[in-house]
């Protein structure tokens, strides 16, 4: 077993009974989506002055800058990333075209009970007492099977945009990964392992839709969570992402025009032996704007064995495979890392 899709099929999250609402038809937030006040996802005024690092990928000191950003925040924005602006516009346009389809059409590609791709609620949904103001579409590899159902005579441009975006993102993610690791002391075998990650198929593209909400103070777009793989690259033209920072609470990510947001995932946190924090983040919704985001998740083969790099002190975590970790997280979500702590 080498692909992320195969790993998720073996550890399904039961979402078949959870179907996104027809959000545009709603004039009020239904009780199923009203979150208790104990889930404080609002930003305090003091947090407005904080901002995540911005890293210029053409800066001569890129390795130091990106290593510092990973160690101090675990999340940062990158500029001069080399992705054509037209490509970003195309993938967002196609995502918006998908989510604008009638709800009956979108439900034709509803994620199967043991599946990981297609339309549906977020995988983290069953871990929370309320539902989220969110709908998603997951791509792992080719999107053609689902796209043909959605647009029997007009699926090609959607598939072309997704394929081209994934190809560019894979190259960018791998280069970022190697640059991040250059700030650590790695052995030659570890460097070779990192270089080989590029050949894996354990990557995913997640299209997210957060429709305009009649009362954003009572619900949430995506509940607090960390990402499972090495790193995530997010494209979004509208603010709404928040990251949790100890001592401050929820900090809004104020996007820089043309920049992409990168965050450390659980696997990179493990590899760094805890030096790079895995980032707890969430998404809030807007009263007037329909927010679209596109997240690319980058990881090694599902059967790849990993653990803390050998020169970073006593290992804080077990050595295991990605598939094993996905199985643990599918059962325990935010407590997953505590189950593999030495």
């Amino acid at each position: 077993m080498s692909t992320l899709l195969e790993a998720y099929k073996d550890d399904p999250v039961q979402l078949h009974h959870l179907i996104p609402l027809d959000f545009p038809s709603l004039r009020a937030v239904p009780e199923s989506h009203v979150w208790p006040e104990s889930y404080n996802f609002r930003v305090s005024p003091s947090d407005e002055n904080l901002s995540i690092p911005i890293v210029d990928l053409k800066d001569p000191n890129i390795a130091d800058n990106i290593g510092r950003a990973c160690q101090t925040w675990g999340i940062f924005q990158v500029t001069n990333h080399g992705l054509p602006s037209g490509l970003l516009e195309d993938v967002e346009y196609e995502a918006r075209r998908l989510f604008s389809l009638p709800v009956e059409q979108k439900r034709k590609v509803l994620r199967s009970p043991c599946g990981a791709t297609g339309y549906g609620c977020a995988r983290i949904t069953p871990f929370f007492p309320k539902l989220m103001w969110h709908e998603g579409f997951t791509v792992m590899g080719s999107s053609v099977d689902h796209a043909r159902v959605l647009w029997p005579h007009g699926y090609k441009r959607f598939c072309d945009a997704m394929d081209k975006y994934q190809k560019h993102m894979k190259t960018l993610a791998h280069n970022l990964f190697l640059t991040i690791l250059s700030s650590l002391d790695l052995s030659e075998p570890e460097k070779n392992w990192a270089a080989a990650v590029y050949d894996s198929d354990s990557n995913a593209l997640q299209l997210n839709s957060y429709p305009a909400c009649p009362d954003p103070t009572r619900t949430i777009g995506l509940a607090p969570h960390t990402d499972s793989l090495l790193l995530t690259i997010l494209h979004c033209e509208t603010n709404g992402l928040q990251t949790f920072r100890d001592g401050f609470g929820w900090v809004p990510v104020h996007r820089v025009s043309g920049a992409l947001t990168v965050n450390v995932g659980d696997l990179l946190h493990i590899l760094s032996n805890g030096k790079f924090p895995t980032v707890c983040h969430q998404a809030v919704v807007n009263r007037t704007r329909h927010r679209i985001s596109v997240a690319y998740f980058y990881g090694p083969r599902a059967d790849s064995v990993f653990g803390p790099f050998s020169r970073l002190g006593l290992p804080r975590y077990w050595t295991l495979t990605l598939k094993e970790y996905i199985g643990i997280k599918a059962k325990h979500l935010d407590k997953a890392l505590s189950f593999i702590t030495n």
Side-chain angles (χ1 to χ4, degrees):
M1 178 179 297
S2 62
T3 70
L4 190 62
L5 180 58
E6 292 168 328
Y8 278 124
K9 282 182 177 178
D10 276 8
D11 293 290
V13 175
Q14 296 303 317
L15 293 171
H16 59 279
H17 63 294
L18 300 172
I19 301 175
L21 298 177
D22 183 9
F23 290 106
S25 69
L26 301 176
R27 296 295 173 263
V29 178
E31 185 60 32
S32 59
H33 289 66
V34 175
W35 284 58
E37 291 186 6
S38 58
Y39 281 86
N40 182 18
F41 44 81
R42 296 162 185 80
V43 179
S44 64
S46 61
D47 298 337
E48 292 288 348
N49 298 320
L50 286 174
S51 60
I52 67 171
I54 299 171
V55 178
D56 182 348
L57 296 188
K58 289 187 176 179
D59 190 302
N61 298 315
I62 175 62
D64 290 341
N65 295 342
I66 212 166
R68 190 180 310 111
C70 285
Q71 189 168 355
T72 57
W73 278 85
I75 183 170
F76 52 96
Q77 295 187 72
V78 294
T79 59
N80 286 317
H81 45 69
L83 263 74
S85 59
L87 178 60
L88 298 174
E89 292 166 0
D90 286 349
V91 77
E92 181 172 346
Y93 175 85
E94 292 301 325
R96 200 171 289 277
R97 185 164 76 101
L98 185 156
F99 291 120
S100 297
L101 289 170
V103 66
E104 296 81 8
Q105 188 72 359
K106 289 182 286 189
R107 288 175 181 173
K108 290 180 180 179
V109 294
L110 198 65
R111 199 176 296 126
S112 67
C114 293
T117 60
Y119 177 74
C121 296
R123 284 180 61 85
I124 62 174
T125 301
F127 293 93
F128 295 92
K130 294 291 183 174
L131 301 180
M132 303 166 211
W133 203 265
H134 167 271
E135 54 182 342
F137 185 85
T138 308
V139 178
M140 295 182 186
S142 174
S143 59
V144 66
D145 289 343
H146 287 136
R148 276 181 174 150
V149 175
L150 294 171
W151 303 283
H153 305 292
Y155 64 89
K156 190 175 186 301
R157 70 181 194 184
F158 178 87
C159 296
D160 288 348
M162 298 303 126
D163 291 347
K164 189 174 181 181
Y165 190 78
Q166 289 185 90
K167 181 179 178 180
H168 278 77
M169 274 293 170
K170 186 175 184 179
T171 299
L172 175 61
H174 189 65
N175 290 338
L176 285 170
F177 177 53
L178 296 183
T179 304
I180 291 168
L181 294 188
S182 70
S183 66
L184 302 175
D185 184 15
L186 271 60
S187 67
E188 284 304 313
E190 289 166 345
K191 291 178 182 178
N192 293 336
W193 177 88
V197 169
Y198 183 82
D199 297 323
S200 82
D201 289 319
S202 292
N203 311 302
L205 188 65
Q206 176 68 31
L207 311 181
N208 297 305
S209 164
Y210 307 97
C213 177
D215 191 350
T217 64
R218 304 188 72 199
T219 191
I220 192 167
L222 205 55
H225 65 285
T226 63
D227 295 335
S228 300
L229 301 185
L230 292 168
L231 54 85
T232 303
I233 306 176
L234 182 77
H235 164 61
C236 186
E237 290 296 320
T238 307
N239 290 331
L241 177 65
Q242 297 179 351
T243 182
F244 190 83
R245 188 158 177 81
D246 289 340
F248 294 94
W250 291 108
V251 178
V253 176
H254 299 294
R255 64 167 301 279
V256 174
S257 180
L260 297 168
T261 302
V262 181
N263 68 263
V264 170
D266 294 351
L267 266 63
L268 186 51
H269 171 75
I270 293 167
L271 289 173
S272 71
N273 205 27
K275 184 174 182 178
F276 301 149
T278 186
V279 177
C280 184
H281 54 286
Q282 64 181 14
V284 295
V285 290
N286 189 287
R287 187 181 296 275
T288 59
R289 300 194 67 177
H290 181 181
R291 179 173 178 261
I292 297 288
S293 73
V294 183
Y296 181 80
F297 303 98
Y298 186 65
R301 290 168 54 99
D303 57 5
S304 179
V305 178
F306 68 94
F309 288 131
S310 60
R311 297 175 178 176
L312 302 180
L314 292 174
R316 292 176 54 185
Y317 300 105
W318 303 352
T319 295
L320 71 170
T321 66
L322 172 57
K323 181 190 181 303
E324 289 170 332
Y325 184 71
I326 285 174
I328 293 170
K329 193 154 187 183
K331 295 178 178 68
H332 305 289
L333 194 64
D334 59 327
K335 298 180 179 63
L337 286 172
S338 67
F339 279 84
I340 63 167
T341 300
N342 288 323

